[in-house]
Amino acid sequence: MRRCAWPLLRLPARAGLVLRHGEAAAARLRLAAASSSSVGGDGNSRAPDTSLFVPVPLKPVGDAAEEDVGAELTRPLDKGEVLKNLNKFYKRKEIQRLGAENGLDARLFHQAFISFRKYIMESSSVSADLHIILNDICCGAGKLCLLGHVDDLFPFFLRHAKQIFPMLDCMDDLRKISDLRLPPNWYPDARTIQRKIIFHAGPTNSGKTYHAIQRFLSAKSGIYCGPLKLLAHEIFQKSNDANVPCDLVTGEERVYANEDARQAPHIACTIEMCSINTPYEVAVIDEIQMIRDPARGWAWTRALLGLCAEEIHVCGEAAAIDLVTELMYTTGEEVEVRNYKRLTPLTVLDYALESLDNLRPGDCIVCFSKNDIYSISRQVEARGLECAVIYGSLPPGTKLEQAKKFNDPDDPCKILVATDAIGMGLNLCIKRIIFNSIVKPTINEKGEKEIDSITTSQALQIAGRAGRYGSSFKQGEVTTMHRDDLVQLKEILSEPVRPVKTAGLHPTPEQIEMFAYHLPDATLSNLIDIFVSLSQVDGLYFVCNIDDFKFLADMIQHIPLNLRSRYVFCTAPLNRKEPFVCTTLLKFARQFSRNEPLTFDWLCRHTKWPLAAPKNIKELVHLEAVHDVFDLYLWLSYRFMDMFPDAVLVRDIQKKLDDIIQVGVCNITKLIRASQSAAAPGAAEVMSEDFPLSRTKRDTRAVSDRYGARSTEALSIAVEVPGERRAKNLKAYRSATRQEDLKSHGRGSLANRLLREGLLTQEMLRQLESEWQDQHRNGRYGLGSKRNDQNSSKETGKKKK
């Protein structure tokens, strides 16, 4: 009797196990109203993207340790009848409407019902109250005096739905956590002081950063925030050379000006590493226009709103003035604008280079593809000219050495081949910038890959490197490699720079931890997705692209880590297109999860250190990846010192690796030649590219059949015989270029256009070519098919007549 009585105490609303249908309906409506008030939240909030809601697995109840109390009180359930009534429950419009009022849209309602039905049908026993309700429904079905109605299942269904979708019960809290509409309020320390904002606006080589740095050096304390390690290192050196003690802080490195490791009053850092809690007299934020960067813009927003400095000196393009002024209006701070003009003249030439025979000392050829870097550098050296090479994935030390080699007036190297990595962070003595192409692969705010013409801002940034003030060239010049590109470049440079309209934001570790508190079973990638889905920003901000973060989160999801450590690993700066680096991060995380320190010996084993000088381009690329792995180790060592204890030893071998890479880059022509000789016959590329690039236009006169037919011969002439007449070399160069296009981009202008617009990749092109050949061999597009097509067209014509 005692065992039978306790379930009755759990069911006070049933009034002795019998609840009339009208009373049940009223109870359901009251429950729905109460639930919807707690889940609905702000009526103005946008509906969440429920496709991101991953259900929490809820296992059916197996053989119960105790007896089935519900069966004792009533009788065992007829699972066939239960299934029929559950399906009736699902189809009722009233139930679907109640579900929607409680946050269950059609997708969630369906998923919740499937889980609810499976739970009931596969469980050997259910709770006593649910068992009694199901029994009443099955017994009362088709009778005039209803013991129960399928609608009575709704409270149990909703309870089950909230178990598998816990976010339904805390939607208000999740919305509040992800509300990003007032970023200035995130930095209370900065809001307690009245800061003076000075915007130094001007083009490249206008002296804007110089004036800001002069104020930085004269202050009692200061912080410089730059986009690159090279820029931070340059300010670090300048400060200490001027007898202003300055520390260097980057993600991978801490260098103290004082021998006893006391913190100096001045700091030069990469912008992600700036402290928003330390007070300074002066702060300098360089390249402020990068506040709109789809991936890193949040760091500039954080620095601008959060630095605790009496004076904030902001340097960058004038296109960011209006946005910075509006952002500072929300903090109650005024902006003083100081405009600067370029210190040396910059001329856009009326003629293109057209041939590498026309190169002069001080020329820099800018490419947007590694393959173009390799190809151009080999052709330059084939003409008996030495060239320096700079591209993004090179270690900073190698970049500086290549820049030093190019700048040295006593060095025979007078030609530079580079990517847009020269756009900031390097002081170079360039007379003329030559754009090899004016299309560039980019990633938009949605994380999508695009191939488009460079923007006015990018063109000005790169072109402005010519004729630097204080160099041996008092005037800069800009042109293109190809004549048709020059017309478009002039149009790009003549357009006004697009205004910077929004600033980037990124969820903080604290916000994600609060999300995880409410959704403990969600993965980190899923937490980020839901956060972005629910986040609200005003018109001045956008949420930065999180694809790289999610990629790493998914990669290490199976490794047991606490949330904060997992978050740190996912913010590690690495190129996810480098398999070796990603694999090593996975090994780091796995070793870390075992609480086993990652020692120097462990790292050497996994990177196969020591490494030899590269013999071909593939080996050079691998050495660059190993250098990135060492960077990754050092980056993690400053966040988990106990687990990555050998930072000093790793830094030593990284310097040795930098020297090895420098030797490889100096011999890059030999490496290219070795790679091409080892490649399969007809291979057009040295290495694969993530983006297929082609030039925007081509002179049709230069791609006639007679040039294309002799393109292999022309390539050998262009590379091997640099002393021929200019006209002959120009013809050979164009023929060689056409041959490259035919090999890597396919035949005909349609393929080139599709490649250029990003609608076709080289892998797709190869697949299409293979399919075409198969179909041709099978006779589908052969002579017979043509005849059949002609015959069918004749028959159609006869019918029309």
Side-chain angles (χ1 to χ4, degrees):
M1 180 66 185
R2 189 181 303 116
R3 186 176 59 192
C4 297
W6 74 263
L8 304 182
L9 299 178
R10 297 178 56 197
L11 302 169
R14 288 191 52 81
L17 301 180
V18 180
L19 188 64
R20 297 297 176 185
H21 179 53
E23 296 173 1
R28 288 195 301 274
L29 292 175
R30 286 195 298 272
L31 173 64
S35 300
S36 62
S37 65
S38 65
V39 175
D42 184 4
N44 297 324
S45 300
R46 63 175 177 172
D49 182 0
T50 56
S51 65
L52 303 173
F53 292 0
V54 179
V56 176
L58 200 62
K59 293 181 180 180
V61 178
D63 295 331
E66 298 182 3
E67 295 181 26
D68 189 344
V69 177
E72 286 189 11
L73 289 172
T74 56
R75 63 177 184 175
L77 293 174
D78 182 343
K79 290 297 180 77
E81 285 296 320
V82 169
L83 180 60
K84 291 180 184 177
N85 284 284
L86 285 174
N87 290 334
K88 287 181 184 177
F89 170 83
Y90 174 74
K91 294 176 182 178
R92 283 183 57 78
K93 298 297 182 183
E94 292 85 352
I95 294 299
Q96 294 175 11
R97 178 178 56 80
L98 282 173
E101 291 175 0
N102 285 272
L104 294 169
D105 63 8
R107 180 198 300 271
L108 295 186
F109 183 85
H110 178 74
Q111 287 183 285
F113 173 75
I114 296 298
S115 175
F116 183 57
R117 184 178 63 185
K118 180 180 180 182
Y119 177 80
I120 292 175
M121 298 303 295
E122 295 184 3
S123 293
S124 60
S125 64
V126 295
S127 61
D129 47 0
L130 177 56
H131 184 108
I132 294 169
I133 287 290
L134 289 169
N135 182 72
D136 286 354
I137 293 171
C138 293
C139 291
K143 296 182 180 180
L144 294 176
C145 181
L146 297 179
L147 290 174
H149 191 276
V150 289
D151 289 4
D152 294 339
L153 284 174
F154 184 77
F156 301 96
F157 167 72
L158 185 61
R159 182 175 66 187
H160 183 92
K162 289 182 177 180
Q163 283 181 294
I164 65 170
F165 295 115
M167 60 284 296
L168 294 174
D169 241 352
C170 55
M171 194 61 68
D172 278 352
D173 291 332
L174 297 180
R175 289 188 190 278
K176 289 175 183 176
I177 296 168
S178 58
D179 190 341
L180 307 179
R181 287 176 292 186
L182 294 172
N185 293 350
W186 303 351
Y187 310 103
D189 292 343
R191 300 291 77 81
T192 60
I193 58 177
Q194 188 66 27
R195 306 180 306 171
K196 181 180 180 181
I197 313 296
I198 302 169
F199 196 122
H200 301 264
T204 304
N205 199 17
S206 61
K208 57 185 184 297
T209 306
Y210 169 81
H211 288 89
I213 294 301
Q214 291 304 113
R215 180 66 187 97
F216 167 82
L217 295 175
S218 66
K220 295 178 181 177
S221 63
I223 181 170
Y224 168 84
C225 307
L228 300 172
K229 288 184 283 188
L230 286 175
L231 281 170
H233 198 273
E234 180 185 349
I235 301 303
F236 162 75
Q237 284 188 323
K238 281 184 177 179
S239 298
N240 287 292
D241 290 346
N243 294 320
V244 178
C246 179
D247 295 340
L248 175 66
V249 178
T250 69
E252 302 82 15
E253 191 174 16
R254 304 287 191 281
V255 181
Y256 294 97
N258 299 311
E259 294 181 358
D260 56 358
R262 283 183 299 107
Q263 184 170 317
H266 287 71
I267 290 177
C269 66
T270 45
I271 195 160
E272 286 87 353
M273 301 304 298
C274 71
S275 169
I276 57 172
N277 301 315
T278 308
Y280 301 100
E281 182 181 347
V282 170
V284 177
I285 304 175
D286 207 356
E287 305 294 351
I288 188 62
Q289 70 275 2
M290 290 189 70
I291 199 170
R292 69 177 166 199
D293 186 84
R296 298 178 64 202
W298 63 269
W300 276 262
T301 305
R302 174 176 173 270
L304 183 62
L305 297 178
L307 282 173
C308 296
E310 299 169 22
E311 291 181 24
I312 308 283
H313 290 258
V314 178
C315 307
E317 295 177 358
I321 292 176
D322 289 344
L323 176 63
V324 171
T325 302
E326 284 208 48
L327 292 177
M328 294 301 97
Y329 177 79
T330 64
T331 65
E333 296 161 336
E334 294 184 359
V335 178
E336 175 189 338
V337 179
R338 299 178 185 176
N339 289 296
Y340 300 83
K341 294 183 179 180
R342 184 175 168 87
L343 297 173
T344 57
L346 181 65
T347 304
V348 182
L349 301 178
D350 292 327
Y351 54 88
L353 188 71
E354 297 194 282
S355 170
L356 295 178
D357 289 331
N358 298 326
L359 287 172
R360 301 195 303 256
D363 279 350
C364 171
I365 305 174
V366 176
C367 309
F368 299 112
S369 160
K370 233 185 200 182
N371 286 339
D372 285 347
I373 290 279
Y374 297 149
S375 175
I376 295 294
S377 60
R378 179 178 180 182
Q379 293 181 53
V380 168
E381 295 202 0
R383 285 162 166 76
L385 303 173
E386 286 193 35
C387 69
V389 175
I390 296 175
Y391 50 88
S393 58
L394 285 178
T398 304
K399 290 178 187 173
L400 289 172
E401 283 300 315
Q402 290 291 299
K404 182 180 178 182
K405 176 182 177 182
F406 175 71
N407 289 337
D408 187 354
D410 298 324
D411 196 290
C413 174
K414 292 293 178 281
I415 306 296
L416 176 63
V417 183
T419 63
D420 54 340
I422 65 166
M424 58 181 72
L426 290 169
N427 292 319
L428 298 162
C429 296
I430 299 172
K431 169 66 174 177
R432 182 170 58 172
I433 289 285
I434 302 160
F435 285 90
N436 185 59
S437 171
I438 54 174
V439 293
K440 178 186 177 183
T442 58
I443 296 180
N444 62 22
E445 293 183 7
K446 297 179 182 178
E448 300 167 337
K449 297 177 181 179
E450 295 180 342
I451 298 178
D452 201 359
S453 299
I454 56 176
T455 65
T456 301
S457 176
Q458 291 167 339
L460 289 171
Q461 185 81 23
I462 298 168
R465 309 307 291 180
R468 174 176 159 266
Y469 181 77
S471 71
S472 55
F473 301 110
K474 305 303 180 186
Q475 180 176 347
E477 297 174 347
V478 184
T479 187
T480 59
M481 179 68 74
H482 307 284
R483 186 186 308 169
D484 291 343
D485 286 346
L486 184 57
V487 177
Q488 193 170 351
L489 178 63
K490 288 183 176 181
E491 291 176 1
I492 292 172
L493 291 173
S494 64
E495 294 173 358
V497 178
R498 186 182 53 171
V500 181
K501 295 183 178 180
T502 51
L505 296 174
H506 194 281
T508 64
E510 292 76 20
Q511 289 169 324
I512 299 303
E513 280 183 339
M514 286 190 283
F515 247 59
Y517 173 79
H518 291 288
L519 306 174
D521 296 308
T523 66
L524 179 55
S525 178
N526 191 228
L527 285 175
I528 289 286
D529 273 336
I530 296 174
F531 185 98
V532 173
S533 171
L534 294 176
S535 63
Q536 299 178 72
V537 295
D538 66 22
L540 296 176
Y541 301 95
F542 70 92
V543 179
C544 285
N545 179 266
I546 54 171
D547 282 354
D548 286 350
F549 185 98
K550 285 176 54 187
F551 172 82
L552 296 180
D554 289 333
M555 188 176 73
I556 65 172
Q557 179 57 41
H558 65 285
I559 298 176
L561 296 168
N562 63 60
L563 183 66
R564 181 56 73 104
S565 298
R566 190 180 300 278
Y567 185 95
V568 171
F569 270 91
C570 292
T571 55
L574 58 81
N575 183 359
R576 62 174 177 169
K577 297 169 189 145
E578 286 288 349
F580 180 74
V581 183
C582 294
T583 303
T584 306
L585 176 68
L586 196 61
K587 293 177 181 178
F588 282 177
R590 191 176 290 117
Q591 184 86 346
F592 182 93
S593 69
R594 301 188 190 112
N595 203 29
E596 298 176 4
L598 290 97
T599 63
F600 176 76
D601 291 338
W602 184 95
L603 184 64
C604 290
R605 261 195 329 272
H606 285 81
T607 56
K608 298 181 180 179
W609 180 264
L611 296 166
K615 298 182 181 63
N616 51 49
I617 288 295
K618 185 177 179 180
E619 291 184 6
L620 176 62
V621 171
H622 177 69
L623 291 181
E624 293 169 6
V626 175
H627 192 281
D628 288 345
V629 166
F630 292 164
D631 259 349
L632 180 61
Y633 184 98
L634 295 172
W635 189 88
L636 289 167
S637 73
Y638 286 107
R639 288 144 184 87
F640 306 109
M641 295 183 181
D642 293 340
M643 298 300 293
F644 295 83
D646 295 329
V648 175
L649 296 174
V650 173
R651 196 175 304 284
D652 288 340
I653 63 172
Q654 188 183 43
K655 291 177 182 177
K656 294 177 182 177
L657 177 58
D658 204 336
D659 294 336
I660 296 172
I661 293 174
Q662 287 177 36
V663 172
V665 173
C666 290
N667 297 319
I668 197 165
T669 298
K670 294 179 181 177
L671 302 185
I672 296 169
R673 191 177 296 116
S675 298
Q676 290 179 337
S677 62
E685 292 185 322
V686 175
M687 59 176 293
S688 63
E689 290 279 339
D690 293 301
F691 297 95
L693 293 179
S694 66
R695 300 177 180 89
T696 54
K697 298 178 182 177
R698 184 72 72 231
D699 187 349
T700 55
R701 291 172 299 176
V703 294
S704 61
D705 291 340
R706 62 193 182 93
Y707 288 153
R710 295 184 298 179
S711 56
T712 306
E713 178 187 357
L715 179 60
S716 65
I717 293 174
V719 175
E720 304 294 342
V721 189
E724 299 294 327
R725 290 181 298 111
R726 177 173 299 181
K728 184 177 180 180
N729 279 326
L730 175 59
K731 186 182 296 184
Y733 175 76
R734 285 178 172 170
S735 299
T737 304
R738 178 57 178 166
Q739 179 68 6
E740 285 183 5
D741 286 344
L742 291 175
K743 285 183 177 180
S744 60
H745 296 160
R747 300 180 185 276
S749 60
L750 177 61
N752 282 334
R753 189 168 72 252
L754 292 175
L755 285 165
R756 183 167 62 250
E757 294 174 358
L759 301 175
L760 189 67
T761 65
Q762 292 178 7
E763 181 61 34
M764 293 166 62
L765 193 61
R766 284 191 287 269
Q767 185 176 349
L768 286 171
E769 184 179 1
S770 174
E771 290 177 2
W772 171 269
Q773 292 172 351
D774 291 342
Q775 290 166 343
H776 186 75
R777 282 194 295 269
N778 294 333
R780 293 185 60 187
Y781 295 105
L783 183 60
S785 64
K786 289 182 180 179
R787 288 174 179 169
N788 292 335
D789 290 342
Q790 291 171 357
N791 292 335
S792 63
S793 63
K794 288 179 181 178
E795 290 175 4
T796 304
K798 289 179 181 179
K799 289 179 182 178
K800 288 182 179 179
K801 291 179 181 178

